[in-house]
Amino acid sequence: MKRTTISLIAVATALAAVTGIASLTSPEGDAAPQNKAAARLPVERSSLMCPAPSTSELAETLYTSFTPAAGEGAGAGGAEKPTAELRPSASVLADTDAAPAKDDKDADADKDADDEKEAGDSAAAARKPAPDKPVVVLEAPGKPAAADADGGEAPALVGTATGALAPGWTAQQTTTVPAGGGRGLLGVSCTAPDTDFWFPAASLAERRQDYVHLTNPDDTSAVADIELYGKDGELKSTLSEGITVPPGGTVPVLLSTLTADKADDVTVHVTTRTGRVGVVVRSADETDGSDWLAASADPAGTAVLPGIPADATSVQLVAFAPGQEDADLKVQLAGPTGTITPAGFEKLRVKSGMTAMIDLKDVTRGEAGTLVLSPAEKGRETPVVAALRVVRGKGEKKEVAFIPAAAPVGARATVADNRDKGSFLSLTAPGKAAQVKVSVSAGTRGGTAAVKTYTVKAGTTLTITAPVPEGLRGTFALTVQTVSGGPVHASRMLEVPDDGIPMFTVQNLSDDRGTVSVPVAEQDLSVLDD
């Protein structure tokens, strides 16, 4: 038999086999689907990172973990039991390893060491978590889990959620420091890993100590670069390129060690060369207290900064234009009854590659609101990033918090660690009116979940005291879902007054990305033609 005949028989046999498989794997009698839209399915794995909370021995930290209950058709598959755990970072665990055994001579020499230092080191080691032991374990969707830690040895945490606990998984880290240089209520939503972050409103001023915390959730090292931009452009910096973050580890970087320049207002840009990291900035001010500065929403022509408290005594806007063009922005305040233009602050020009700041003072004038930045001229959108530095109180009784530009709530957004008193929700509809559903979970130690629906009028900010679950014990999570209408931007303010100081922190609520678009695959035998 000729070789050509054998080849033709082989091809025919292969086609028959492929056709047989197609008939077994496609619906009987149905034609192949055409032009089907990609399906949105729940994610099956999520990662979060919480920075090391504080170095103060007076610090008290509460961690709260939560996954919203699955909605219709939102079940996450997998035969394995779902998990959601936050564990100490690898760099912390490395410090807890047992020291090498010593011989008798070494032991005798150790007795001459400083007893006080030895006792202090032993106490610090005892406060560190045991290797491989999770700090917070979430058991099921719909009910938050919490854990606490005291002192300055609490570690950075790295966590993973799988299965039904992955879609919408969120965690909050809230730290109270009643006195000292880091005094304040420091709150941060634990961050998801990424490769690009912008932080307007950081500072190199002498009264400030700002640290960039880099945390790597993966099993391989990440390499990050940090760029600093002041009012005149990029600052000369050293040791800011090629920062290695070990697998599962965390690296804090003091901004003032990266440059000799001093600048009151700085934009920090963090990118990765390899790998991905979670990034957040810890800012401490000698007079105004401290808090975490989360990343701004991605550069866009319009920026929405939600939830300025009604009693804010100082509001500073910091903006940066990362592109090649200057940005001319219209500055507006969306309040409870509509949108106004603050007198004297109608426009802001942000030059390309430069950080701009305007002091809006007490712009809210007793009514909570949201700052909206938009192009001064229609059709000329220049991407910007922005953040607010907000102060409440006066004199020695002041406290600071940051509000970065927020992405829309989208389908669903969640914030954990809400309490029976002092939790406030701001909802802003900068364009069209919108209807939103606000769900409150059961408490960490008891309570009944509840749901309420609110309408946000176009161009306004609706500020409400967060609904509290009936019979609440512990803390609860709050979830916002857009039901209809235009985009909604939201934030949650948590206040915990202490000795006359209005301590507070603000966290944005942005789409939790609990679902992912999955393209529809179709069988196509034409690929066999040649």
Side-chain angles (χ1 to χ4, degrees):
M1 187 179 289
K2 292 184 179 179
R3 187 183 302 271
T4 304
T5 305
I6 295 174
S7 299
L8 289 173
I9 293 173
V11 170
T13 302
L15 284 172
V18 171
T19 305
I21 293 172
S23 65
L24 287 173
T25 56
S26 62
E28 186 175 350
D30 289 347
Q34 300 293 326
N35 301 322
K36 262 195 174 182
R40 295 203 66 87
L41 300 176
V43 299
E44 295 185 359
R45 185 180 181 88
S46 297
S47 296
L48 290 176
M49 287 135 285
C50 311
S54 176
T55 57
S56 171
E57 289 304 310
L58 302 176
E60 297 179 356
T61 299
L62 178 66
Y63 302 101
T64 311
S65 174
F66 178 75
T67 295
E72 183 179 353
E80 295 183 3
K81 181 182 178 181
T83 60
E85 299 177 345
L86 289 165
R87 296 173 176 269
S89 69
S91 57
V92 174
L93 293 178
D95 293 338
T96 68
D97 291 343
K102 301 177 181 180
D103 59 25
D104 292 340
K105 184 177 179 180
D106 291 333
D108 291 338
D110 284 347
K111 292 180 181 180
D112 297 329
D114 183 0
D115 291 340
E116 182 176 350
K117 180 180 184 300
E118 185 177 344
D121 290 345
S122 297
R127 284 192 298 269
K128 290 181 179 179
D132 297 328
K133 183 177 180 181
V135 175
V136 190
V137 178
L138 186 64
E139 298 290 345
K143 182 180 178 181
D148 54 26
D150 294 337
E153 297 294 329
L157 304 181
V158 178
T160 301
T162 62
L165 293 173
W169 184 44
T170 187
Q172 169 83 9
Q173 174 183 292
T174 308
T175 303
T176 304
V177 182
R183 172 188 60 77
L185 182 68
L186 298 87
V188 62
S189 293
C190 300
T191 57
D194 208 336
T195 60
D196 197 340
F197 301 83
W198 291 97
F199 299 91
S203 180
L204 293 166
E206 291 186 2
R207 72 178 190 281
R208 292 265 295 268
Q209 277 200 326
D210 286 14
Y211 283 84
V212 177
H213 287 246
L214 309 165
T215 306
N216 177 8
D218 297 322
D219 296 330
T220 57
S221 294
V223 179
D225 295 336
I226 301 176
E227 299 169 332
L228 305 176
Y229 297 88
K231 62 183 180 63
D232 297 319
E234 187 170 4
L235 302 177
K236 294 180 180 180
S237 57
T238 58
L239 306 175
S240 62
E241 295 184 348
I243 300 171
T244 299
V245 188
T250 185
V251 176
V253 179
L254 179 60
L255 288 185
S256 61
T257 64
L258 302 180
T259 179
D261 295 334
K262 296 296 179 185
D264 286 345
D265 302 293
V266 171
T267 298
V268 179
H269 186 207
V270 179
T271 57
T272 60
R273 299 184 184 186
T274 59
R276 53 183 192 155
V277 291
V279 188
V280 67
V281 175
R282 184 180 185 275
S283 175
D285 190 295
E286 290 180 357
T287 59
D288 295 347
S290 62
D291 204 352
W292 293 102
L293 167 60
S296 170
D298 292 340
T302 298
V304 180
L305 302 94
I308 307 172
D311 60 351
T313 53
S314 172
V315 179
Q316 294 178 332
L317 167 65
V318 181
F320 179 80
Q324 300 298 316
E325 298 182 1
D326 298 346
D328 290 309
L329 301 172
K330 181 168 55 177
V331 180
Q332 295 178 299
L333 182 71
T337 57
T339 300
I340 63 170
T341 300
F345 306 108
E346 293 84 0
K347 292 183 180 181
L348 172 65
R349 184 175 181 81
V350 186
K351 294 184 178 180
S352 171
M354 301 181 186
T355 298
M357 189 279 287
I358 56 174
D359 190 348
L360 300 170
K361 305 184 186 301
D362 56 343
V363 65
T364 55
R365 302 293 176 89
E367 291 185 335
T370 291
L371 203 69
V372 180
L373 306 178
S374 57
E377 184 179 338
K378 289 185 178 180
R380 294 195 61 181
E381 291 196 358
T382 302
V384 296
V385 291
L388 296 173
R389 181 178 181 274
V390 180
V391 175
R392 298 173 71 208
K394 295 181 179 180
E396 296 181 354
K397 304 290 186 180
K398 291 191 293 186
E399 167 70 331
V400 68
F402 296 92
I403 304 175
V409 166
R412 183 182 64 186
T414 300
V415 63
D417 190 9
N418 298 281
R419 309 182 185 186
D420 59 347
K421 295 181 180 179
S423 295
F424 302 91
L425 179 64
S426 288
L427 303 167
T428 302
K432 297 180 180 179
Q435 190 176 57
V436 297
K437 182 170 69 174
V438 177
S439 304
V440 294
S441 73
T444 52
R445 294 183 288 111
T448 304
V451 177
K452 289 190 176 183
T453 301
Y454 298 90
T455 298
V456 187
K457 297 179 180 179
T460 69
T461 294
L462 175 65
T463 302
I464 60 173
T465 300
V468 177
E470 186 176 350
L472 173 67
R473 295 181 60 206
T475 65
F476 64 96
L478 188 154
T479 299
V480 177
Q481 294 172 277
T482 305
V483 176
S484 63
V488 174
H489 300 256
S491 69
R492 185 282 313 271
M493 184 180 83
L494 176 65
E495 65 172 5
V496 183
D498 183 75
D499 192 26
I501 301 173
M503 289 189 176
F504 75 116
T505 183
V506 179
Q507 280 73 55
N508 290 340
L509 285 82
S510 298
D511 194 301
D512 62 20
R513 300 178 182 178
T515 60
V516 63
S517 180
V518 179
V520 176
E522 297 179 3
Q523 295 158 343
D524 185 359
L525 297 183
S526 65
V527 298
L528 297 175
D529 294 337
D530 197 339

